[in-house]
Each structure stands twice: as C-alpha cells, then as structure tokens.
C-alpha cells in the first residue's frame, strides 16, 4: 500500500487548481471530451481515486461508485449547460481532489452508500463545471459522451491498479518463507 500512498501524494502535490475549463467551440467534439479528463491532474487524481476506492471496498462498490460518478457527472453537466447555478463549484472540485486523495492515502473506505453519496456529490460539481463552460452552439452530447468514456477509463485504471497490486501482494505471500532466507544466504 505504500506505493499507492506515494503515488497519490505525488499526484496530489502535482495537482494545481481545478481546471475544468474548456476552450470554447473547438472543445465540443467527442475527441475533445475524451481528451479533457486526462489533460489535468485534478481530473486524473479524482477519477483514479474513485476507481481505487471502489476496488478497496470491493463488492457492489466496484461498479456502483464509478457509475454513480459518471451518472451524476452527466446530470451536473446538464445543469451547468442549462445555466443552473451551483455555489462554490471550483472550490468543491478542489476539495474533491483533496478528500479523495486523502481517502486513498489514509485507507479511508466509507460504507457503500456513504461512499456513493460522497462520490455522487463530487461528480455533480465536476460535471457542472464542464457543462456551464460549453458554448450553446457546442455539441454537448458528443463532448459529454467523450468525457464520460474517458472518465470510465480513468475509473477502470484506478480499479486495475488496486487489483494488480493485490495480485502482486498475494503472489509474494505465496512464496515459501524459506525462499527468502535461502536467497539472502546465497547473496552473501
């Protein structure tokens, strides 16, 4: 777990302010939506953290938490595109990165429904920021599909990191204890 802690801290420290800003009409295609989540470490950190937390929790959280994020992010995007105002969106996005990263680092895994609610709340803010900054002439559907696809990919990457790490840890614990004693004697 130290590797995850160090990686998360590095991502968090490297994360600058929440950058949910799109670049006008050119940022309204499927490809722009697909590229946007991986263009800022705030997005990468939050979305991979959701996947990691879901994998730590396991069970129904493995699909419920990532799908809660994507579903509520879409709803937030529609609200933003429709000019429904939400207070403190950028601060909330920054807080989501901090809280999710700390949850991974400190191994804080909430109950199934508490985690789903927390993740869904953060997702509304992420979606709202993107929806509110799309121009009305933009193809919000194409951008949203691309953005959602990339988000699912990042959640899956977080899940894969934990599943892979657990497999490595399990394989190392299956090695007989005598192996380490023997190999260290040979090296001397």
């Amino acid at each position: 777990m130290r590797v995850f802690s160090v990686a998360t801290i590095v991502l968090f420290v490297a994360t600058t302010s929440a950058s949910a800003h799109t670049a006008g009409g050119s940022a309204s295609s499927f490809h722009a939506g697909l590229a946007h989540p991986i263009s800022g470490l705030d997005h990468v950190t939050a979305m991979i953290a959701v996947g990691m937390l879901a994998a730590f929790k396991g069970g129904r959280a493995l699909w419920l938490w990532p799908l809660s994020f994507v579903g509520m992010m879409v709803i937030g995007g529609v609200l933003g595109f429709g000019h429904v105002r939400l207070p403190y969106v950028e601060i909330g996005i920054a807080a989501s990165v901090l809280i999710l990263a700390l949850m991974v680092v400190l191994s804080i895994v909430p109950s199934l429904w508490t985690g789903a609610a927390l993740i869904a709340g953060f997702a509304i803010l992420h979606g709202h920021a993107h929806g509110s900054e799309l121009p009305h002439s933009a193809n919000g559907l194409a951008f949203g599909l691309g953005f959602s696809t990339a988000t699912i990919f990042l959640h899956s990457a977080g899940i894969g990191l934990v599943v892979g790490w657990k497999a490595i840890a399990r394989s190392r614990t299956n090695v007989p204890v005598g192996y380490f004693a023997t190999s260290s004697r040979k090296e001397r």
Side-chain angles (χ1 to χ4, degrees), residues 14 44 64 77 98 154:
V44 173
L64 179 64
L98 172 65
L154 289 169

Side-chain angles (χ1 to χ4, degrees), residues 50-92:
V50 167
M52 292 175 74
L53 290 168
F56 289 153
K57 181 71 173 172
R60 293 190 301 176
L62 201 54
W63 59 267
L64 179 64
W65 290 359
L67 290 180
S68 294
F69 191 99
V70 173
M72 296 308 287
M73 181 184 69
V74 168
I75 291 170
V78 169
L79 292 173
F81 194 70
H83 296 293
V84 175
R85 294 196 36 91
L86 292 178
Y88 308 111
V89 171
E90 291 292 327
I91 293 170

